[in-house]
Each structure stands twice: as structure tokens, then as C-alpha cells.
Amino acid sequence: MIEREFGAMDLDRVLKNADAQMARAGELQRVLAELVGIAADQDGLVKVEMGGSGLKNLHLHPKAMRLTSGELAERIQLVIAEASADLRSKVTEAMQEAFGDENPMRFADDPDGPMAQVRGAEAVYNRTFDDLMGQLDQIRNRMER
């Protein structure tokens, strides 16, 4: 009876945790939709805003037209890359605020992290399985006596 109650408590905790995660995910979705990465070149000739769907705004100062097409293209590409990096940073920060230690973005910089967790979970499973099989063997031995 105690085991069943413990299992029910554990299930309740899991369900509450799942509800909390869903609420945080909903709020995060709203926050992410509003995030904008912003960057400008050092002269202020090229300014870019990046959103989740891509380029939101590109502003070229009239003086930017004095640059060669190659120089202007290079500046635009660099500023877009900087605005994209700014947006990624803001997304990571928002995810960290929403999920804390459970932030799925924590693996963006460490792709081997999930595999380490899987290996750890596998080791726990194997130990639990071995313990259970040992207990079943003991029960079987007692019943055969």
C-alpha cells in the first residue's frame, strides 16, 4: 500500500511539473515572438533588426550609398550576423529565465551533454534492473525451498 501511495505522489509531482513546464513554454513563446536582435556598423551607416522569422528591418543611411557595392554588401552581411548573434543571445537568456537548469538551450554549446545524460540514465536503469532481478532470484529461491 505504501508503494502505491508513493507512486501516486510521484505521478502527481510529475503532472504538476508538466503543467508548470507548459505554462512556462506558453509564456516563453510570447516572449520569443517579441525578441529582436539589433546591430549597427561602427559608422552607423547600416542598421539591422532580426526577429524569429528573419530580417525585420534594414536601415541604410544615405551616406552608405557612397560605399562601393562590395563594401556595402560586406557591411550588411556583417551587421546581419551581429544582429543574429544578438538575437540568439536574447533567446538563450529568455530560455534560461523560463526553464532555469532545465533549459534545453544549455546543450547548444555542449552537444555531448544530452548523450552524457542518456548514458547516466542508462547506468541507473541497468543498476535498477540488476537489483530487481536479484530480488526476484531471492524470491524464487525462497519459494523453491
Side-chain angles (χ1 to χ4, degrees):
M1 185 67 149
I2 292 173
E3 291 176 351
R4 287 184 186 160
E5 289 176 15
F6 178 73
M9 287 174 44
D10 197 40
L11 180 59
D12 288 341
R13 186 185 53 136
V14 168
L15 291 175
K16 285 179 185 176
N17 189 31
D19 287 343
Q21 290 278 17
M22 291 301 291
R24 285 186 289 200
E27 174 63 16
L28 178 63
Q29 186 175 12
R30 185 192 62 73
V31 169
L32 292 179
E34 296 174 3
L35 290 179
V36 177
I38 300 170
D41 71 332
Q42 63 188 16
D43 301 325
L45 300 179
V46 178
K47 295 180 183 177
V48 168
E49 293 180 6
M50 295 294 291
S53 61
L55 183 64
K56 290 181 68 101
N57 191 6
L58 169 63
H59 176 76
L60 300 176
H61 190 279
K63 290 182 181 179
M65 297 302 123
R66 296 181 187 157
L67 299 171
T68 67
S69 62
E71 291 171 329
L72 182 56
E74 185 177 325
R75 284 192 190 205
I76 291 171
Q77 289 174 337
L78 290 172
V79 174
I80 286 174
E82 290 172 4
S84 295
D86 183 49
L87 179 60
R88 275 193 306 277
S89 174
K90 290 175 179 178
V91 167
T92 300
E93 184 178 315
M95 298 271 296
Q96 183 63 35
E97 286 179 22
F99 294 109
D101 291 338
E102 298 299 316
N103 179 6
M105 291 296 288
R106 69 187 183 277
F107 299 121
D109 295 330
D110 180 21
D112 293 330
M115 283 309 297
Q117 286 188 334
V118 168
R119 285 191 283 282
E122 180 183 30
V124 169
Y125 170 80
N126 288 338
R127 281 192 304 271
T128 303
F129 180 78
D130 290 343
D131 289 347
L132 179 61
M133 293 309 291
Q135 290 175 3
L136 288 174
D137 282 342
Q138 289 175 356
I139 292 170
R140 184 179 44 83
N141 288 337
R142 282 189 220 147
M143 291 179 75
E144 288 178 351
R145 290 183 195 167

